[in-house]
Amino acid sequence: MSVLDRLGQKLLFTFDPETAHGLSIAALRCGLPVGARTVHDSRLKVSLCGLDFPNPLGMAAGYDKNAEVPDALLGLGFGFAEVGTVTPLPQTGNPKPRIFRLTADEAVINRLGFNNEGHAAAERRLAARKGHSGIVGVNIGANKDSTDRIGDYERGVVRFAPYAGYLTVNISSPNTPGLRNMQAREQLGELLSRVMAARATASAQPPVFLKIAPDLVEAELEDIAAEVTEKKIDGVIVSNTTISRPPLRNTDAAGETGGLSGKPLFERSTIVLARMRKLLGSDIAIIGVGGVDTTDAALEKIRAGADLVQLYTSMIYAGPALPGRIVAGMARFCETERLKSIRALRDSHLDRWASKPLN
């Protein structure tokens, strides 16, 4: 981290995590902070699902919940940004406090519960940027008290299809009661059928990705892969936060309810990623997320089977220059290894990761 980044982090860490998050969004709206110089290297380009990504690193959903700063995020060096999760109606989410820093572990536990301003606010902002360059995905969810959660996803597809580079169906947050039950095969099959039918009727047909949890056993992964393949879903995002608790140094916050993200998630999420790649085969897109905090970590996700990678929590600890540093590191790696394309790495460590046990 630069001296400026360290000072910025020290200032933000004097606030509670949710206030600090709001301040960082406000800073980006104002044109701050300035990231590292954006690297443009043809070897980092990834063509996937009809989209041309300038590099394989993206900002994960959860940071820009209300589509306030997607272009500012792209300006930090990301190849794409994902906004949301957005629900049809505004909702406040779970009671505060609901975000906990585990600084010694470079991790976070959150139980936010899809707090967001709703479809109308996000649509207004995305409509205002229509025609801008840069790939922005929209992550859609269901309201906590909805009587028709699948209907919520259908509404999200139709509403955001005209503005989204891709759509993500998020059924893997641990912080909305019963939401992860939609990963079970019968419910998942109905959800994906209706989502794809809704896309067919929309004014545009962006790719549809499914975001899954890392807390799944092999039989559940097999069911998800079967439904994704059968319903012709374009890709899978692996993974959301985990409710498991690997050994952590910060024992005080480790007992908080919610999803764990950051460095401790890397191992588990990468194993699930590799197993999903094995189940889906080579053609269906996979975005790997969880614990990406360095160039080496991003490259390892690709070696384990990811086409693209995302991060979020690591920026809390490494600062806004992190995406630029990771992308520059990828370019240097391609140069050193004389790779014509970063995609040449994909699946090179697939068997190694897929054979690891999920503890």
Side-chain angles (χ1 to χ4, degrees), residues 86-239:
V86 189
T87 58
L89 300 176
Q91 60 182 28
T92 58
N94 294 320
K96 299 178 182 180
R98 53 193 182 180
I99 308 177
F100 307 90
R101 297 188 191 103
L102 286 71
T103 305
D105 301 287
E106 296 182 35
V108 165
I109 292 172
N110 93 81
R111 50 173 180 264
L112 287 162
F114 286 173
N115 57 309
N116 74 105
E117 296 173 4
H119 280 184
E123 182 186 26
R124 184 175 66 252
R125 296 180 182 117
L126 291 168
R129 75 168 300 274
K130 195 171 183 182
H132 288 203
S133 61
I135 297 171
V136 176
V138 181
N139 185 300
I140 56 175
N143 282 113
K144 180 179 179 179
D145 58 357
S146 174
T147 58
D148 180 10
R149 285 184 171 175
I150 293 180
D152 284 6
Y153 288 99
E154 291 175 307
R155 285 185 281 277
V157 168
V158 171
R159 192 149 197 175
F160 293 109
Y163 314 109
Y166 65 89
L167 293 164
T168 298
V169 176
N170 184 3
I171 54 171
S172 51
S173 169
N175 301 317
T176 296
L179 189 74
R180 285 191 171 192
N181 295 339
M182 298 181 79
Q183 294 175 123
R185 186 160 189 177
E186 185 175 348
Q187 289 190 57
L188 181 62
E190 182 184 358
L191 169 69
L192 297 182
S193 292
R194 288 172 58 178
V195 160
M196 296 305 279
R199 186 184 70 166
T201 67
S203 59
Q205 284 75 46
V208 172
F209 294 163
L210 175 70
K211 188 165 187 174
I212 66 171
D215 308 305
L216 297 163
V217 299
E218 191 69 24
E220 292 170 319
L221 293 175
E222 291 171 359
D223 285 347
I224 289 170
E227 291 297 331
V228 164
T229 302
E230 181 183 318
K231 304 304 187 298
K232 295 182 169 56
I233 303 302
D234 297 283
V236 178
I237 300 181
V238 187
S239 65

